[in-house]
Amino acid sequence: MRENLLPQFKFQVALEAPKELRSVNEIAASNKVHPSQVTAWKKELREGGSRLFERKNGKNREFEGSGGAHSQAGAHTWKNRH
């Protein structure tokens, strides 16, 4: 029987994976899911996580090119981290 898991559960598991305090297999075993599912949720979080910070009113500015010393310093930090 296929179990429908709550989004909050998936989110918590996905957040744990990038910390690398435990292996994907250990995380999967402790949460009673398949390791490939943990990897998929981790990937989904990494690829779509930035959408959490999008404004609902559509007034987002582009990260780069938004002007000002502060935004350029932030862009510099972002580029160096990734």
Side-chain angles (χ1 to χ4, degrees):
M1 182 173 149
R2 187 174 178 151
E3 183 179 350
N4 287 328
L5 301 172
L6 296 174
Q8 183 61 31
F9 172 78
K10 295 176 185 179
F11 180 66
Q12 291 300 325
V13 173
L15 279 179
E16 186 176 354
K19 294 177 186 177
E20 297 182 354
L21 299 175
R22 299 189 301 159
S23 72
V24 169
N25 287 338
E26 291 171 328
I27 295 167
S30 69
N31 290 287
K32 299 179 182 165
V33 296
H34 195 275
S36 64
Q37 191 63 70
V38 174
T39 302
W41 292 339
K42 177 182 172 182
K43 181 181 177 184
E44 190 174 339
L45 179 64
R46 184 177 45 238
E47 291 176 354
S50 64
R51 287 191 301 258
L52 296 172
F53 299 99
E54 291 178 358
R55 293 185 180 198
K56 294 182 191 320
N57 64 8
K59 291 186 179 179
N60 281 344
R61 295 187 297 179
E62 290 295 320
F63 188 75
E64 292 183 43
S66 60
H70 179 70
S71 65
Q72 288 179 2
H76 178 71
T77 302
W78 177 259
K79 287 178 185 177
N80 287 337
R81 285 182 160 176
H82 300 284

